[in-house]
Amino acid sequence: MATSQDVYVVHYHEVGLKGRNRDWFENRLAANIRARVKAFGIDRVQPTAGRLLVEPGGEFDRPGIEEALSLTFGISGFACAVRVAASREAIVDAALKLAAEQPFESFQVRARRGHTSFLDNSQTLNEVVGQAIKDSTGARVDLSHAERTFHVEVVHNFALLYTEKFDGPGGLPVATSGRVLALLSGGIDSPVAAWQMAKRGAEVGFIHFHGQPFSDPSSVRQASRLGRRLTGWLGRSRLWLIPFGDIQSEIVTAVPQELRIVAYRRFMMRIAEALALREGIGGLVTGESLGQVASQTLPNLTAIGSVVASMPVLRPLIGRDKIEIEADAKKIGTYEISIQPHQDCCVLFVPRKVTTHATAAELESAETALDAQALVEKGLANATVEELPGP
Ligand code: ATP
Ligand code: MG
């Protein structure tokens, strides 16, 4: 039963390594957690001695809070703890109450002392608490395969005790690594790529190119569902929708068919870069993976990436294989959405042949018949934006 004595203790590791930026990282992580747990009526999230405390105060929704914490990047692990005064008696008393909750045959105590002014050191605390549990339950101490582990963390003038620990997703807190714009198709790969960059602390916005008026709105619906699903990890975000059918029909008039897929991608990149510059976003993200399809060979990736000069094109999936990517897509909850049928804009005017070795020079020469700048401006001018409200 959750009571007002209970707090969540949240641990992080990479954040702790950030030296002088540490306060800033901790505060960001605290703000991200606060934004998540607000929905459960909680606003107290405090950095305290190298960990964060989430204080519900009163009754609270354990599964809801635990799901929210398990989706917050930067958290390495967390636990729901009882908080008591940092005295030997109070700690032993709380440990015995925890021990009485469920029977067990073997156990260990793992004490950590956040500061040295507490009288007992960790080893003494392990022994004192261990002896008391042993006496009251008859269970044996087992330091390698304990059935239950009693964690004790002494923090300032209080101590936290818990027996169950949950893993967090790791990574860095979202919005500690700048902003990126993820090119989101309706497929399996690009949502995973966006998720990976969020895990590295990027704040992620989305751009989707659709074939309207030549195709139905299914890919837009798809992108919107994927973006909304990802906000569970990212927090609130935005999806820019670019009508691309007219632009493709112009590309078709100038570019030989085997170069068209690469040319479409080059125009997507140009429009995405222009939008990113306008919005103060510092990088583009794609779901490309080396050799996965004909358009993702080294020469083609070079021809696609070479139109972007002002920011990096990040391809977090470049060295991963499809099986791994699909497993991640299932884990993060996008796979089921991605496999729904939808009309991708690139199947419009789809070429029968795709070269695996386009060169930037070949494309530039084919594109001279087009007013690239005007096409980019047209893409931006017709953009609409959808707010993704977040969890
Ligand atoms: P995905 O599963 O993400 O669609 P894919 O392996 O099918 O990737 P492509 O369809 O060749 O590969 O697309 C490569 C990348 O280009 C995508 O991962 C995505 O980042 C971007 N992209 C492709 N189509 C679109 C689109 N309609 N809107 C936005 N980005 C797109
Ligand atoms: Mg695709």
Side-chain angles (χ1 to χ4, degrees):
M1 166 78 184
T3 73
S4 58
Q5 264 188 322
D6 294 339
V7 298
Y8 279 93
V9 53
V10 173
H11 294 121
Y12 37 86
H13 29 233
E14 271 197 83
V15 182
L17 300 177
K18 292 283 169 182
R20 288 196 298 163
N21 283 335
R22 183 174 170 147
D23 284 355
W24 180 70
F25 272 77
E26 281 175 344
N27 288 332
R28 184 76 258 172
L29 181 58
N32 292 354
I33 294 174
R34 214 171 280 126
R36 301 298 309 246
V37 297
K38 214 168 61 194
F40 304 102
I42 301 172
D43 57 6
R44 283 182 66 80
V45 180
Q46 308 287 350
T48 308
R51 68 245 313 136
L52 285 159
L53 297 183
V54 179
E55 306 183 41
E59 299 268 310
F60 57 96
D61 172 2
R62 275 192 77 150
I65 295 171
E66 282 161 21
E67 192 198 344
L69 295 176
S70 71
L71 298 179
T72 306
F73 288 126
I75 295 179
S76 60
F78 60 92
C80 185
V82 260
R83 177 168 46 185
V84 297
S87 73
R88 229 191 226 199
E89 299 69 37
I91 292 171
V92 166
D93 190 48
L96 292 182
K97 278 198 190 117
L98 276 180
E101 280 177 3
Q102 272 170 35
F104 52 90
E105 284 176 4
S106 64
F107 75 99
Q108 63 178 334
V109 180
R110 283 276 168 87
R112 275 199 260 177
R113 206 171 47 149
H115 64 122
T116 46
S117 57
F118 186 65
L119 235 44
D120 295 332
N121 65 24
S122 309
Q123 192 44 38
T124 311
L125 212 47
N126 283 339
E127 287 164 13
V128 170
V129 176
Q131 190 62 48
I133 295 174
K134 203 168 145 189
D135 291 345
S136 101
T137 64
R140 70 191 149 76
V141 173
D142 185 335
L143 297 181
S144 45
H145 299 98
E147 204 180 312
R148 283 189 94 181
T149 299
F150 291 80
H151 298 271
V152 182
E153 296 181 24
V154 180
V155 186
H156 300 311
N157 58 348
F158 58 88
L160 300 164
L161 286 92
Y162 53 92
T163 55
E164 195 181 3
K165 254 165 94 162
F166 302 95
D167 286 335
L172 295 171
V174 168
T176 56
S177 305
R179 298 170 70 204
V180 297
L181 183 63
L183 284 84
L184 186 68
S185 69
I188 293 170
D189 303 324
S190 45
V192 177
W195 176 84
Q196 280 203 205
M197 296 318 301
K199 185 170 183 180
R200 292 308 304 157
E203 201 176 336
V204 182
F206 300 100
I207 184 169
H208 173 71
F209 298 86
H210 60 83
Q212 291 180 65
F214 300 101
S215 59
D216 68 27
S218 59
S219 80
V220 169
R221 254 197 330 265
Q222 184 91 344
S224 165
R225 289 185 67 200
L226 287 168
R228 282 166 193 267
R229 176 58 57 90
L230 286 166
T231 61
W233 299 89
L234 271 52
R236 54 194 285 239
S237 182
R238 270 184 178 175
L239 168 64
W240 281 274
L241 297 163
I242 314 286
F244 201 56
D246 280 335
I247 296 172
Q248 280 177 283
S249 66
E250 290 198 40
I251 295 172
V252 168
T253 62
V255 177
Q257 65 157 313
E258 67 273 16
L259 294 179
R260 276 179 205 159
I261 288 277
V262 177
Y264 297 159
R265 293 278 184 272
R266 282 162 62 93
F267 276 93
M268 288 184 185
M269 287 290 179
R270 290 182 173 113
I271 293 168
E273 182 188 28
L275 179 77
L277 287 173
R278 191 188 81 189
E279 298 292 324
I281 294 174
L284 303 181
V285 181
T286 78
E288 288 155 321
S289 163
L290 185 63
Q292 194 190 81
V293 289
S295 56
Q296 296 173 18
T297 60
L298 285 177
N300 286 355
L301 290 172
T302 307
I304 293 167
S306 67
V307 298
V308 179
S310 65
M311 60 186 68
V313 176
L314 305 168
R315 298 177 167 109
L317 308 184
I318 198 69
R320 307 193 64 209
D321 58 60
K322 195 76 186 180
I323 310 269
E324 294 169 342
I325 298 169
E326 286 184 0
D328 271 354
K330 287 176 186 160
K331 190 176 79 185
I332 68 179
T334 55
Y335 184 81
E336 284 306 315
I337 303 173
S338 293
I339 58 175
Q340 299 300 314
H342 60 280
Q343 261 186 3
D344 188 275
C345 64
C346 288
V347 304
L348 285 178
F349 318 109
V350 70
R352 279 191 304 279
K353 264 176 52 193
V354 181
T355 180
T356 51
H357 50 274
T359 64
E362 258 180 311
L363 277 144
E364 267 148 36
S365 120
E367 288 168 1
T368 51
L370 298 167
D371 184 345
Q373 191 53 36
L375 289 176
V376 170
E377 278 162 20
K378 179 169 166 172
L380 278 191
N382 294 325
T384 55
V385 59
E386 185 182 328
E387 299 293 331
L388 308 175

